[in-house]
Amino acid sequence: QVQLVESGGGLVQAGGSLRLSCAASGNIFSRNIMGWYRRAPGKQRELVATVSGGGTTNYADSVKGRFTVSRDNAKNTVYLQMNSLKPEDTAVYYCYLKELSIVGSTYWGQGTQVTVSS
């Protein structure tokens, strides 16, 4: 089993910054993708950003140029640096890890609230 523990959410004014962290532990398959999804009130969950073990990144159009995803493979940790935050970024942010194996298991964190005030 794999456990994901997130930290770094909170309340920030529009234009501000926050950094989320997510540490994975347990029996982690070496080849994996880590990243972040979010769910805003009344909306479906959406992809925010992902990063492969080799550093290849992928972003939602709505966060390109403002958010940066990165990872420390030695620590099995993924980060999300969020700059120029907007009220529409308010959501619960979920860390995830998808194993690139035959089974392809996906694991989720418990979620961390990010609230951006106008």
Side-chain angles (χ1 to χ4, degrees), residues 54-76:
T56 300
T57 57
N58 180 46
Y59 295 93
D61 288 342
S62 59
V63 306
K64 283 180 180 177
R66 300 188 298 121
F67 291 10
T68 302
V69 64
S70 61
R71 63 188 286 171
D72 183 332
N73 291 329
K75 297 181 179 179
N76 291 316

Side-chain angles (χ1 to χ4, degrees), residues 6 20 37-38 48 67 80 82 89 91-94 111-112 114:
E6 299 139 339
L20 306 182
Y37 278 71
R38 67 186 181 187
V48 177
F67 291 10
L80 186 67
M82 303 184 292
D89 294 318
V92 178
Y93 284 70
Y94 297 91
T112 185
V114 172

Side-chain angles (χ1 to χ4, degrees), residues 42-116:
K43 295 186 177 181
Q44 291 188 331
R45 185 176 63 190
E46 65 171 349
L47 172 71
V48 177
T50 63
V51 57
S52 71
T56 300
T57 57
N58 180 46
Y59 295 93
D61 288 342
S62 59
V63 306
K64 283 180 180 177
R66 300 188 298 121
F67 291 10
T68 302
V69 64
S70 61
R71 63 188 286 171
D72 183 332
N73 291 329
K75 297 181 179 179
N76 291 316
T77 299
V78 63
Y79 306 96
L80 186 67
Q81 178 66 43
M82 303 184 292
N83 299 329
S84 302
L85 282 161
K86 304 174 181 180
E88 51 264 43
D89 294 318
T90 294
V92 178
Y93 284 70
Y94 297 91
C95 168
Y96 93 111
L97 183 151
K98 180 174 176 58
E99 296 179 338
L100 300 178
S101 62
I102 294 175
V103 176
S105 298
T106 300
Y107 301 94
W108 295 91
Q110 79 282 2
T112 185
Q113 177 69 47
V114 172
T115 302
V116 185

